[in-house]
Amino acid sequence: MRKYGFPDGFRTIADNELTKARHMTHLVQESEDFELVIMNTTVNVSFWYIPPFFSGGYTKEQKSSVHKIIFQRMKSNGHCLIQQQPLTELGLPNFFRLALGADRTRLHDDMEFLLDEIRRLGHDITAATTKI
């Protein structure tokens, strides 16, 4: 691992990614328009976005549609792409999952940009637009 710039090997990589996951978790928790799916204990951060129209609540079907719509918008005119998926065996509708890996280029600012990009692509979603 020394040749990749990590003299302490995997420990440095793991510590770095866990720090990023804690930062992303903090950003989600501090935002009124995001909600953690579960409290992460690893480098995976799972969360829902709550568009302004749904600040009073929304159904599982609408929640699932919101994330599908944002994912489609990311593919067509977004600046990044984040995985979205349901956990049907746990009864959880679609949510975003950020899986952090040994990427030395991803910075804390990138995580803030990701949340801003989700907001940009999803701020106008209403009950009418979730009927896909």
Side-chain angles (χ1 to χ4, degrees):
M1 289 301 296
R2 192 174 298 274
K3 71 179 181 176
Y4 295 109
F6 293 108
D8 292 329
F10 289 113
R11 179 177 35 161
T12 301
I13 296 170
D15 287 347
N16 186 35
E17 299 313 311
L18 287 169
T19 298
K20 291 176 190 176
R22 282 191 294 273
H23 178 69
M24 183 65 166
T25 299
H26 174 76
L27 291 174
V28 169
Q29 287 177 316
E30 294 298 311
S31 300
E32 293 182 11
D33 52 351
F34 288 95
E35 176 187 354
L36 282 175
V37 175
I38 56 170
M39 180 57 97
N40 68 306
T41 57
T42 62
V43 294
N44 292 302
V45 183
S46 302
F47 57 93
W48 287 295
Y49 171 64
I50 305 165
F53 181 85
F54 294 106
S55 61
Y58 55 163
T59 67
K60 282 186 177 183
E61 293 79 18
Q62 290 170 324
K63 193 178 273 193
S64 189
S65 293
V66 163
H67 294 82
K68 288 178 184 178
I69 291 167
I70 294 171
F71 186 74
Q72 290 301 319
R73 290 178 179 181
M74 282 181 165
K75 289 193 318 187
S76 62
N77 66 352
H79 300 291
C80 55
L81 189 63
I82 183 172
Q83 182 179 5
Q84 59 89 31
Q85 66 194 42
L87 277 178
T88 53
E89 61 274 9
L90 298 178
L92 296 172
N94 284 32
F95 56 88
F96 292 118
R97 182 174 75 93
L98 178 63
L100 297 161
D103 181 1
R104 297 186 326 174
T105 61
R106 190 174 296 132
L107 305 172
H108 290 251
D109 291 347
D110 295 332
M111 294 173 205
E112 293 167 16
F113 173 80
L114 177 63
L115 295 181
D116 289 341
E117 182 70 355
I118 291 170
R119 286 182 183 108
R120 180 182 76 82
L121 295 170
H123 76 279
D124 63 337
I125 296 175
T126 67
T129 55
T130 59
K131 295 178 173 129
I132 57 174

